[in-house]
Amino acid sequence: AGASAAAMAGGAGATARARPHKRPARAAARATMVRRQPPLRPRAPAAFAAVFGALLVAPVAEGRVRYWSDFKNTSTDTCSGRHCVISEGEVWVLDSSMEVETLTVQGMLKWDDTVDGLELRTGYLLVAEGGVFQVGTQRQPMELNALINITRRPVETHSHAEVGYRFVATSGADSRIDIHGRKLERTWTLLTKSAKSGDTKIFVKHDPGAEGMRWRPGDRIGIATTSRGNSSTNVIAAIGPAPEWPLAFKSVGKVHVADETVEQGGAAETLTSASAVAGGRKAGWGKFCKGLCLSSDRFFEFALVKPSHVSRVRLLFHQEKYPPTFTVEVKFAKSERWVHGAAMAHGSGGWHEVSIGKSVNGTAATAVRLNVDPHALASRSSNAEASAGVELKDAEVLGIEVDAPLVNAIHLREPLTRGHLGGVRTVGGRDFELAAEVVNLERSVVITGEDSTFNETHQGIHTAMVGKGTMSISHTRVEKCGQRNAVGRFCMHFLNGGQCLDCAFEGNAIVDSHQVGIGITNTHRTLVDSNVIWDARGAGIYVKDGNEMYNTISSNVVICARPGRCAVEWMGHRDSAGIYMVGMTNNVLENHVAGYENGIWAAGDRHPEGQGHAAKKVCPQFTPFGRFMGNVNHDCQVYGLRLGRQSPRNIERDSNGLLSDPGSCSNFTGDGVDNGVIPAQQIEDSYEYHNMYVGQFSSGDISFVRLTSVNNARSLLWKESKNFADGTSRHIVDSVFANDPTDAYGRLQVLGPAGPFAFLLENVTFLGGPTGRGTAALNAGFHCGRAGAGGPCAVQYFLHQVDFSGLQRTAKRIQFGASSMPMGKALPMFVSDDGSLDGKKSIVSRHLDGFAAEPGCQALDKYWDNGIACDAHIRRFRVRSKDLGPVRLSGPGYGQAAANMSEPVLGTNAGHMIYEDNDNTTALGYSLPVFLDRDYSVSGAWRGDVVFELSDPPLEYAFGAAERVGLSFAGQACTLRPQARRAETMFGTEICELRDTGEETALEQ
């Protein structure tokens, strides 16, 4: 046992080094606890007992090891075709195929890993208390093919009271299942080059061969969608070096028209087909060519990233059009002249390619251009079927970069039926990896279900650890699994396991599930790593009850292969996500989700009191996350990352994740202090593209750090938030929002929140465009004034090192209000301590035209939403009270303009304060912007408790200077300063307030 422990520690250490993102302490703990054994020596009972004794409750007695091949179908066979039980203390070796009605293991059943093609057929496989079922070990996995087939038998005679029907499961203390198939060094990779429909080879990021990922010809693979459509499956025909590959362009190139050259960059204007040989997203060669096709100099140039040996050029012309006559020319590194490479005459639509193979003095090419015959264009310009354009995304130059290392390609059995993105895309001078995941769906060990009605009944097999046993399954394929609307019947499931550091699902392929791929219920400290989940309905990975803690969910790829396929009704709802979390305090690291309705969904607001074992004993919406880092969501139909309404707080709970003090879920402590976690939680390195939305309706004390959002329909959606309890963390920091205008999907628009707080952005970059009709890159107060959104609308946006310079020339930078009520267009304000606002300190809405008359203020252009910029500091002034009717603010900014009572102004430009109640759902009080260090007076019919507030402490901290406003009200005067928010019912602690006297006090100022 001691020698085995040392060997186990060495093996685990190697695994930890291969995955550096794992916590070293966690890896060390697993190394000392995972039980691993050398292989069995056949027909040697004493040696067998010595090797396996550590796994058993008691040592194995001499002569009790039984080989299935020795006694099946003999007079001593008590199992074949029957309900079979391997009794406590017995050790059986499965060295030939077995078929039984049901199989219960109370002793030990070990699969012979020296025999290929063994099959176990049974109605269920139950490992009872003290039992062990083993197929391979982590040190010596099952390299050969092994099949566990859970057959369909009468439910009345083939069910278990606790585990159910058609399963592989443990039940009871000290029960254990170990299944370890042939190890793949990586179960998934990424395309390094885009693949087009019709391609028969793909290029991937990691070496797929025997010295790399250990993929093999004959393996089934899946390729994730990057077009919000269907994903692909295929079979590896061969793995080997590629003679050529698509070459990368340094820039989009140059369009030369009638002696006028137009540079084409990532954010360039789209050229019409009348004025360009090619360009923009939809180029047309001669579609409207009459009168414009007389120049002899019309070409399109591809500037290559690296000097390359060019072999071919491929172009896709629209099927209903015809390509013009053109020549392909090549420029070489040691020559400035263009060399003729090949010619293309008139032809039909579709793909066309020309071979090059040219060189000058053995040097490599630096650019390729297509030179169009203008006479061919002119002669066909009157024809309805005029010469077609070619879209830049459908142009391809193939060859090999100089000094490029040998690249292994995956050669496919069938041509691709759709395209998939690979490699990087450049937007505004920055590279973004938009690349389809390529997953290996093949494993040497398969757990399947014999059932031709699977897709009609939605009732497949399931595997589970039930209770405080142990389950460790790696590099195994589980298919035809999941039982729709049956509680806990998932493809793979840790159920009620308590603390289980030895439990792991690693490197598995879960294919075609009708209810959940992997579930974690009332279990803690498990590992779910590097699994591939393909078409799991409902959820790919489901953290179910709400009390689950410290599980690590890492490096998994979860793909729904067709839009809508996985959005089924399950367990009473239709919520669908790649990773669906009710238990929050778990590590979610470097997972990839594609094609689901939602990518990763923290659904605490859907289950505010938890469910199952934890029902009414947890508050998931306010439970802190574990480490949340490096996840990728793309091509999801609704949200990529979806945080619902999460606001992590300082909750108090026991070792099983259940509340010890339900009051700790409240937003304030008993003495009125903000109960948000300190420091704010971080969502780190999230990478989002081709989703409809990214973000949440409401969240507090959660900071996005290094968020990358590329070509989503909404770059970020966020309706409501708060000042973080730590007072310093930024809401968004070190992040990039980009949109490639050549991509058919996406808009650049951050739809930001409103409320009585400061929304803090630091080191945030906006690139590309367009922003979409009626919006800007950064929009303040999304849905403000509407039910379910933030308010009041006078939110303060603080910008530090925010860069708008990479936007398209026509793109708006900021906007006041987006789909908001009137106050959302009038009351938000933008402030900065550097040049983020074009050098201005503050910008208020154009509707507050009284500010334009103040010294140092001026109206801006449409790119700044025609706002009014001031060199002085402006902050929010708020009256926190019930509806008091008309309230009026007098002072700088409100003394020069006549009241404009039309929407959306409603007199706010003249100091009329409007009571905000979010469609009669939430009392929010009154707000208006004011200048710092100036004096104001406020008047109204005061009644009830009234508190006057100025700005937010995080802004005072960010600017590093005290903030004040002089205020007169109801015959009193005070100096108003920012204060940390306390519970709404806490009075007597504010700087400026009126207490409820039961009388109404009318005051005219």
Side-chain angles (χ1 to χ4, degrees):
S4 297
M8 290 187 293
T15 302
R17 287 192 294 273
R19 286 191 284 273
H21 66 270
K22 301 288 192 304
R23 294 184 299 168
R26 170 71 180 272
R30 291 184 56 76
T32 60
M33 298 191 71
V34 175
R35 298 168 178 171
R36 301 172 180 173
Q37 313 84 27
L40 168 69
R41 294 178 181 176
R43 308 296 194 270
F48 186 93
V51 171
F52 288 101
L55 280 175
L56 303 177
V57 177
V60 179
E62 183 79 19
R64 296 299 298 277
V65 177
R66 307 181 68 184
Y67 291 83
W68 177 244
S69 62
D70 287 345
F71 68 92
K72 71 173 181 176
N73 301 322
T74 67
S75 60
T76 60
D77 179 8
T78 59
C79 277
S80 293
R82 302 188 179 102
H83 298 280
C84 182
V85 177
I86 300 176
S87 300
E88 181 180 354
E90 292 188 347
V91 178
W92 289 21
V93 177
L94 189 71
D95 60 342
S96 64
S97 294
M98 171 189 284
E99 182 169 4
V100 294
E101 290 285 305
T102 64
L103 178 59
T104 300
V105 181
Q106 298 168 348
M108 182 178 187
L109 176 62
K110 181 190 181 295
W111 203 285
D112 190 337
D113 59 15
T114 67
V115 181
D116 188 21
L118 293 182
E119 180 178 0
L120 169 61
R121 295 172 59 84
T122 178
Y124 66 67
L125 168 57
L126 176 68
V127 181
E129 181 173 350
V132 177
F133 175 67
Q134 178 183 296
V135 182
T137 67
Q138 290 185 343
R139 287 185 61 193
Q140 186 170 330
M142 181 63 184
E143 296 281 341
L144 305 176
N145 293 322
L147 178 64
I148 301 172
N149 195 331
I150 306 301
T151 57
R152 188 175 183 87
R153 303 293 176 94
V155 67
E156 296 80 10
T157 56
H158 293 72
S159 292
H160 185 272
E162 183 179 22
V163 187
Y165 177 58
R166 301 188 70 208
F167 58 82
V168 174
T170 69
S171 177
D174 298 318
S175 56
R176 183 180 185 99
I177 289 178
D178 271 297
I179 302 175
H180 303 285
R182 174 181 175 271
K183 184 178 180 180
L184 303 180
E185 294 302 326
R186 288 189 64 93
T187 57
W188 61 273
T189 183
L190 298 170
L191 288 181
T192 56
K193 302 180 186 300
S194 292
K196 301 182 183 300
S197 177
D199 283 356
T200 56
K201 63 177 176 292
I202 57 175
F203 299 89
V204 294
K205 196 169 187 176
H206 305 89
D207 180 7
E211 301 303 317
M213 298 190 293
R214 299 188 73 208
W215 295 15
R216 300 187 293 196
D219 285 356
R220 285 170 285 184
I221 62 171
I223 308 174
T225 178
T226 54
S227 61
R228 295 180 58 81
N230 293 345
S231 298
S232 303
T233 57
N234 216 304
V235 175
I236 298 176
I239 297 172
E244 62 182 11
W245 50 81
L247 301 173
F249 307 140
K250 186 184 305 182
S251 61
V252 175
K254 297 179 180 179
V255 174
H256 198 98
V257 181
D259 300 322
E260 179 183 357
T261 300
V262 182
E263 296 287 344
Q264 289 277 287
E269 299 296 320
T270 298
L271 301 179
T272 67
S273 55
S275 60
V277 174
R281 288 175 51 205
K282 295 187 180 298
W285 288 357
K287 187 175 180 182
F288 306 101
C289 193
K290 192 172 293 185
L292 295 170
C293 298
L294 302 179
S295 169
S296 60
D297 191 14
R298 297 173 61 83
F299 63 81
F300 180 78
E301 177 181 328
F302 300 94
L304 301 177
V305 170
K306 297 178 180 179
S308 304
H309 300 290
V310 176
S311 55
R312 291 185 295 148
V313 175
R314 302 179 73 226
L315 301 167
L316 176 62
F317 293 89
H318 297 292
Q319 297 293 328
E320 71 276 12
K321 302 293 184 180
Y322 299 89
T325 299
F326 63 89
T327 59
V328 178
E329 299 176 316
V330 183
K331 182 186 285 187
F332 294 91
K334 295 183 180 180
S335 173
E336 288 302 313
R337 64 188 181 88
W338 290 94
V339 177
H340 178 80
M344 170 65 72
H346 292 307
S348 61
W351 279 102
H352 292 267
E353 72 173 51
V354 293
S355 298
I356 306 298
K358 291 285 183 179
S359 64
V360 173
N361 298 326
T363 60
T366 58
V368 176
R369 75 176 179 184
L370 311 179
N371 203 351
V372 184
D373 179 357
H375 300 293
L377 293 174
S379 65
R380 303 180 65 169
S381 61
S382 60
N383 192 328
E385 298 296 329
S387 298
V390 60
E391 296 184 16
L392 299 184
K393 66 184 181 65
D394 292 327
E396 192 175 68
V397 178
L398 295 101
I400 300 176
E401 294 94 348
V402 173
D403 298 327
L406 190 66
V407 175
N408 269 345
I410 294 176
H411 300 262
L412 304 174
R413 182 174 294 176
E414 300 291 338
L416 292 175
T417 58
R418 55 185 55 86
H420 301 270
L421 293 178
V424 299
R425 178 173 293 182
T426 302
V427 184
R430 187 174 298 197
D431 290 338
F432 298 93
E433 187 174 41
L434 306 187
E437 295 82 5
V438 182
V439 299
N440 193 311
L441 301 174
E442 205 73 36
R443 300 294 185 271
S444 62
V445 178
V446 177
I447 304 175
T448 189
E450 179 189 76
D451 187 0
S452 61
T453 65
F454 171 63
N455 287 318
E456 289 74 42
T457 64
H458 304 156
Q459 300 296 301
I461 66 168
H462 67 102
T463 70
M465 180 196 73
V466 182
K468 297 185 183 300
T470 302
M471 179 174 274
S472 178
I473 301 179
S474 68
H475 300 281
T476 297
R477 176 179 166 112
V478 182
E479 62 182 19
K480 298 181 181 178
C481 49
Q483 297 175 2
R484 184 83 55 82
N485 293 324
V487 176
R489 304 304 187 239
F490 310 146
C491 293
M492 305 181 79
H493 194 187
F494 295 127
L495 174 60
N496 296 332
Q499 310 289 331
C500 194
L501 281 80
D502 209 9
C503 294
F505 295 145
E506 298 181 85
N508 302 294
I510 300 172
V511 183
D512 203 8
S513 165
H514 275 295
Q515 181 170 266
V516 178
I518 294 175
I520 305 174
T521 302
N522 190 31
T523 306
H524 320 292
R525 301 183 186 276
T526 69
L527 178 63
V528 176
D529 180 74
S530 299
N531 301 285
V532 170
I533 302 175
W534 186 274
D535 273 347
R537 277 70 160 184
I541 299 174
Y542 184 28
V543 188
K544 179 180 175 291
D545 281 358
N547 67 314
E548 298 81 11
M549 297 190 299
Y550 312 126
N551 299 287
T552 295
I553 302 168
S554 55
S555 299
N556 304 285
V557 175
V558 188
I559 298 171
C560 187
R562 190 177 71 194
R565 172 178 286 172
C566 302
V568 299
E569 184 172 343
W570 62 291
M571 302 306 299
H573 56 75
R574 291 190 63 89
D575 296 341
S576 169
I579 301 178
Y580 190 97
M581 300 170 59
V582 181
M584 301 299 168
T585 309
N586 300 287
N587 301 316
V588 184
L589 309 171
E590 300 177 4
N591 302 284
H592 288 231
V593 178
Y596 273 81
E597 298 300 295
N598 302 279
I600 301 177
W601 189 354
D605 59 323
R606 282 287 205 271
H607 309 275
E609 296 182 324
Q611 53 186 353
H613 171 83
K616 300 186 183 299
K617 302 174 185 177
V618 292
C619 51
Q621 185 176 349
F622 308 119
T623 300
F625 293 118
R627 190 77 182 274
F628 206 116
M629 183 177 72
N631 300 291
V632 178
N633 299 285
H634 69 90
D635 294 274
C636 294
Q637 301 306 302
V638 186
Y639 279 86
L641 177 63
R642 182 173 185 173
L643 297 184
R645 295 182 178 274
Q646 294 300 124
S647 289
R649 296 172 183 166
N650 298 296
I651 64 173
E652 298 179 16
R653 49 189 166 164
D654 62 20
S655 61
N656 199 34
L658 304 177
L659 289 171
S660 55
D661 178 10
S664 64
C665 297
S666 300
N667 55 344
F668 292 97
T669 63
D671 57 359
V673 176
D674 191 330
N675 194 32
V677 293
I678 297 176
Q681 296 228 266
Q682 294 184 344
I683 305 297
E684 301 176 82
D685 300 300
S686 286
Y687 204 95
E688 310 283 327
Y689 69 93
H690 285 179
N691 307 297
M692 182 177 291
Y693 303 115
V694 176
Q696 61 278 325
F697 276 13
S698 173
S699 71
D701 300 293
I702 295 175
S703 176
F704 286 99
V705 180
R706 298 180 300 277
L707 167 65
T708 300
S709 177
V710 185
N711 281 85
N712 296 290
R714 307 291 185 273
S715 306
L716 182 67
L717 184 151
W718 197 342
K719 293 187 179 185
E720 183 179 23
S721 191
K722 62 185 283 285
N723 292 319
F724 293 165
D726 65 13
T728 59
S729 293
R730 291 356 188 190
H731 293 77
I732 308 174
V733 62
D734 299 337
S735 298
V736 180
F737 298 97
N739 200 82
D740 181 357
T742 69
D743 195 317
Y745 190 83
R747 290 291 184 269
L748 181 60
Q749 44 187 232
V750 172
L751 302 173
F757 76 103
F759 188 57
L760 310 178
L761 298 89
E762 180 173 323
N763 192 27
V764 176
T765 302
F766 294 88
L767 298 171
T771 58
R773 180 176 298 178
T775 61
L778 179 60
N779 304 269
F782 176 57
H783 276 188
C784 184
R786 302 188 186 279
C793 293
V795 61
Q796 304 183 117
Y797 275 50
F798 170 73
L799 280 63
H800 178 75
Q801 295 180 351
V802 174
D803 185 4
F804 295 105
S805 64
L807 289 175
Q808 280 186 319
R809 183 177 57 82
T810 57
K812 286 177 66 175
R813 277 61 176 159
I814 64 171
Q815 180 165 298
F816 296 84
S819 301
S820 65
M821 298 296 277
M823 290 302 95
K825 298 176 174 61
L827 299 186
M829 61 208 77
F830 294 85
V831 301
S832 177
D833 64 346
D834 59 12
S836 298
L837 295 175
D838 203 24
K840 303 298 182 181
K841 294 179 180 178
S842 310
I843 301 178
V844 298
S845 168
R846 67 183 183 276
H847 300 299
L848 302 182
D849 51 2
F851 281 80
E854 295 294 327
C857 297
Q858 65 183 43
L860 299 176
D861 57 28
K862 64 181 181 179
Y863 302 112
W864 300 96
D865 203 19
N866 300 113
I868 299 170
C870 298
D871 292 329
H873 295 291
I874 295 174
R875 299 290 187 268
R876 178 190 63 254
F877 168 68
R878 183 187 181 199
V879 179
R880 178 153 53 91
S881 69
K882 59 186 176 182
D883 191 350
L884 304 174
V887 173
R888 182 77 178 271
L889 181 69
S890 299
Y894 302 105
Q896 304 296 321
N900 179 353
M901 303 308 296
S902 63
E903 288 192 355
V905 188
L906 301 177
T908 54
N909 67 322
H912 294 277
M913 301 186 76
I914 306 301
Y915 188 75
E916 298 183 65
D917 61 5
N918 272 30
D919 286 335
N920 298 310
T921 62
T922 309
L924 303 171
Y926 304 82
S927 301
L928 275 177
V930 297
F931 287 102
L932 288 183
D933 300 317
R934 307 289 288 274
D935 295 326
Y936 289 83
S937 62
V938 61
S939 60
W942 309 117
R943 60 187 182 277
D945 292 318
V946 179
V947 174
F948 302 103
E949 298 177 342
L950 174 68
S951 188
D952 302 290
L955 279 189
E956 200 170 44
Y957 177 86
F959 280 87
E963 298 183 346
R964 62 162 296 279
V965 162
L967 183 67
S968 300
F969 59 95
Q972 305 178 41
C974 74
T975 299
L976 196 57
R977 299 189 302 271
Q979 282 187 284
R981 184 177 175 227
R982 299 173 72 84
E984 299 290 346
T985 57
M986 299 275 304
F987 289 90
T989 61
E990 310 293 345
I991 295 174
C992 303
E993 65 180 17
L994 286 170
R995 300 302 304 276
D996 187 3
T997 64
E999 299 179 359
E1000 180 174 313
T1001 302
L1003 180 67
E1004 297 294 336
Q1005 291 286 351

